[in-house]
Amino acid sequence: MQATELYGRQIALTVSEATALPPEAQRLTALVVTAKQLTCQRCGSSLVRKQARLPRQQFYCYQCLNLGRISTLTSLYHIPEPNEFLKKSQLTWNGKLTVQQAECAAMIQSKFATHQRHLLWAVTGAGKTEMLFPGLDWALTQGWRVAIASPRVDVCLELYPRLQAAFSNLKIALLHGHQTEPYHYRQLTICTTHQLLRFRAAFDVLIVDEVDAFPFAANPRLGFAVTQALKPVGALLYLTATPSHDLLQQVRRHELGLSYLPLRFHQHLLPTIKVTIQPRWWAKVQAGRLPLRLGHWLSTYAATGQRFLVFVPRVAQLTVVQAAIQRAYPRLHGLTVHSTDPERLAKVQAMRDEQVQYLVTTTILERGVTFPGIDVIVLGADDPIFSTAALVQIAGRVGRSRERPTGAVRFICASYARPIKRAIRQIKLVNRKGRRLRARMPVVSTTE
Amino acid sequence: MPVCLLCQRPSDVKLTLPWVLSWQPLLQPVVCAACWQTFTPIIASQACPDCGRAQPSRNPCHDCRRWGPLAFYNQALFTYNDAMQAYFEQYKFKGDYRLRRVFSQALLTRLASLKSAIVVAIPVTPETMTTRGFNQVTGWLAEGENSDWLRTKGQTKLIPQSKKTRQDRLLTAQPFELTATAPKLANQTVVIVDDVYTTGRTMRHAASLILENGAKSVVGLTLAR
Ligand SMILES: [Zn+2]
Ligand SMILES: [Zn+2]
Ligand SMILES: [Zn+2]
């Protein structure tokens, strides 16, 4: 094994695999076993003895198995990060930031330089990737090691080509669970947050994008991974359009600074959610009929050619809903798509290419995917499958383009469920901030 | 709430009144119904009488006719399908020892029905014991340790079966030997348990060693075929 493979990493190896290691490699205990406690040193999980048990008084971690099993039969090997990088500017992007984006970018850079832990609450469609470029380039010029991580692999896959284009002479590492390329030591890494568990005190700057993609509380290992992968003096930046309760809690405890970017790149406010209470919408659709309001909206779409997305809670409802639409408005041409649909990519592409006027989909299209100028309708928005974050993200699909910065976001549901109320409140809050910002334009408001 | 060992989803067991009144011990299922249905059980009346492969007829299958009559017969519990392959990937190769519980009950029940005094599990190499840390067969049956009277000889099993070509597997010389602690085999019926019956070579070697040492008959039992 080459020394560079262990720089800032922690790799689990058995005794027989750990021969021929570079002399500077440090060996760390993989699992700490005491009379009372069993703790994985890679993912930080506290393990249940009975479940972690192997024969011969050995133990393994069942929480981070998909990174390769770590057990008392293995050790972690690590070489402290030496920052063997060129200290020069690598930015080849020559786009232009808006005034407020530039101010936000300057704020980000100053947070990096002063090693802060910070949360940037930027509305959907603010153009946050571009705002990272100046700060990233500054950090790379210092010879710093940088990572951009996201809980969702789709986000990583979308970020990688955009960053590779912006830093076209820099080799960027892309790490995720399905990656077949071998690992290489790189100054800039894009990876899933899960892959961060393979790093130890590696990054001077760590950016976690779409940090809310899974509820923070539902994944206690995420916080551990972030702390582990970051150097003790490293800068941490969380990016989100829909901060979770836990993140805002950290802000309140002063563990995180907070900035808002409440305006989209085109300076328009977020479209607000219009709710229609229709308790029997699903029974109607099942009977092949459309709820009255839905029928009105669709007849307008059929007449104007306006493109739209229909979200439903469950995969099984997709074809039923589409059949009802098809029957009422044969002129509307659309497709259904869900996360495990083998034709998912082709169908999304058909929508992008405007070969179809609408898609009926489950929550998979809630983020990342952008179709300019669309409207959205959420059927059964009160279903527990739609979290506050998901609803805000769905609403955020609308009004993304300069050409049509507005649009309709309509929910049909049986009642005002709590996530619906919270989503409406979040959008109102950022719009209030956005309106104030537009009025006085000292662009980004930072509270610390 | 208990969680399915395979898909991690909560599996709630519905307690019905007749069940509660039957006073039977409640065996908590370790996998959910949906996951369990992905495995295909083999029915004895629809399987090859020699190797246990699922097939409509009771005549020896193509492979068994090709290799000639066996000195033993094999029973397999499940067809080796995609779900089973995924199971072995997670249990044996990723080393998730908890997954022994998925099939433990099914194998122990079948083993009990064979009413044999001597049960022997195919051993893994000492090397595997220091890396994987368990024997996947005795994981189902007992404590995951190798039995101390059948062991692998020298280097012969160092290449994992899955990495060998079919030709390699068929050409391997006897990989096992009995140790001094082995029980008397004379006139005994012995059940040999292994994880998968693929070419049958492992089972043939173990069976011939045991028959050479005086056993009356040998039955093979594998989880998958
Ligand atoms: Zn772990
Ligand atoms: Zn399951
Ligand atoms: Zn056969």
Side-chain angles (χ1 to χ4, degrees), chain A residues 51 53 55-56 60 65 69, chain B residues 95-98 132 145:
Chain A
Q51 296 196 54
R53 190 179 78 73
R56 302 182 182 177
Y60 75 103
L65 267 175
R69 194 180 74 173
Chain B
D96 195 353
Y97 188 55
R98 291 177 304 170
R132 186 186 300 155
E145 269 288 359

Side-chain angles (χ1 to χ4, degrees), chain A residues 14 16 50-56 58 60 62-63 65-66 68-69 71 73-74, chain B residues 90 94-100 127 129-135 143-146:
Chain A
T14 61
S16 57
K50 220 176 110 193
Q51 296 196 54
R53 190 179 78 73
L54 287 172
R56 302 182 182 177
Q58 305 291 337
Y60 75 103
Y62 48 82
Q63 299 287 19
L65 267 175
N66 48 3
R69 194 180 74 173
S71 70
L73 299 161
T74 60
Chain B
Q90 198 64 23
K94 293 230 168 93
D96 195 353
Y97 188 55
R98 291 177 304 170
L99 298 194
R100 68 192 184 280
E127 155 84 340
M129 283 309 284
T130 61
T131 52
R132 186 186 300 155
F134 62 91
N135 173 319
E143 288 299 301
E145 269 288 359
N146 273 334

Side-chain angles (χ1 to χ4, degrees), chain B residues 2 13-16 19-20 22-29:
Chain B
V13 183
K14 300 256 174 350
L15 283 178
T16 59
W19 178 260
V20 173
S22 73
W23 295 105
Q24 291 187 37
L26 179 64
L27 268 183
Q28 191 68 258

